[in-house]
Amino acid sequence: MLTIHAPLAVRATEDGEPLPGYAVAVGGDRIAALGPLPELDAEYPAARVRRWLGVLGPGRCAADAAAWLEAAYHPDPREVGLPGIPGTEPLTGPALAALAMDEVRWGNSARRGLQRLLREGVTSLVGPFTRPAVRTAVRRSGLPVLPAPRPATLTPGARADLAVHDETDGSCLATILAGRLLHRRA
């Protein structure tokens, strides 16, 4: 099904000028078109329209993803209060060294870390990932792994990896990965 994402404005690049009244049409996992909302409405009359109270642009690239996922433990909220787990913030250094880490625990930690990145509008990661459980979690997430950060641009035919951010505080309102809505702030 084709979806038109109609935000307050669209940025074709992460630091580009906002284009008020523009929208992005997404078909499957690709960007079908980018342009003024009335034109996209006319071109795709059967499309579902999602309206967003923010600025839509390409998703962010997490250049520090390997450190974020492989050198930090992301606790499960149910672990808070257990020995060595004071809260839900990632544990590193001596606090991490004190935990009994195995591949299952690393995999669960990576999945929680990836969810947090998606909630921040991240749609690509810089690798490589050396821990097998982390590498598996990243592969299953569908997030592309890049050898180095690169600027993303919204162009027809490109993979639909988008994020909508609040124009006042910059917080992420929605993350769309390969055309699928994976995060929406309530």
Side-chain angles (χ1 to χ4, degrees):
M1 166 180 251
L2 198 97
T3 301
I4 295 175
H5 294 277
L8 298 175
V10 170
R11 290 182 198 271
T13 61
E14 189 174 343
D15 58 351
E17 284 297 315
L19 303 168
Y22 270 55
V24 176
V26 174
D29 68 346
R30 301 283 161 190
I31 296 173
L34 167 76
L37 179 57
E39 290 179 17
L40 294 183
D41 273 338
E43 188 173 345
Y44 305 104
R48 169 182 53 195
V49 177
R50 287 191 185 270
R51 298 194 183 276
W52 302 106
L53 295 175
V55 178
L56 183 142
R60 296 178 177 157
C61 178
D64 61 347
W68 174 254
L69 298 173
E70 293 193 333
Y73 177 68
H74 303 272
D76 186 313
R78 296 171 293 187
E79 294 178 302
V80 173
L82 293 177
I85 315 249
T88 58
E89 288 304 307
L91 301 175
T92 59
L96 175 61
L99 293 177
M101 295 299 290
D102 59 16
E103 285 301 302
V104 172
R105 202 165 195 187
W106 274 117
N108 290 331
S109 169
R111 282 188 287 284
R112 289 188 294 272
L114 288 164
Q115 289 170 353
R116 190 169 181 172
L117 290 173
L118 286 169
R119 288 191 304 265
E120 294 172 2
V122 169
T123 58
S124 64
L125 310 171
V126 173
F129 298 93
T130 57
R131 293 188 185 279
V134 173
R135 194 170 44 243
T136 298
V138 168
R139 183 176 35 79
R140 289 180 178 171
S141 75
L143 286 161
V145 177
L146 309 173
R150 66 173 181 229
T153 304
L154 300 184
T155 55
R159 188 170 130 141
D161 293 337
L162 318 168
V164 181
H165 290 91
D166 186 297
E167 63 183 344
T168 56
D169 66 8
S171 63
C172 183
L173 303 175
T175 305
I176 297 114
L177 186 64
R180 296 179 333 208
L181 179 63
L182 293 185
H183 159 70
R184 175 176 37 201
R185 190 170 76 187

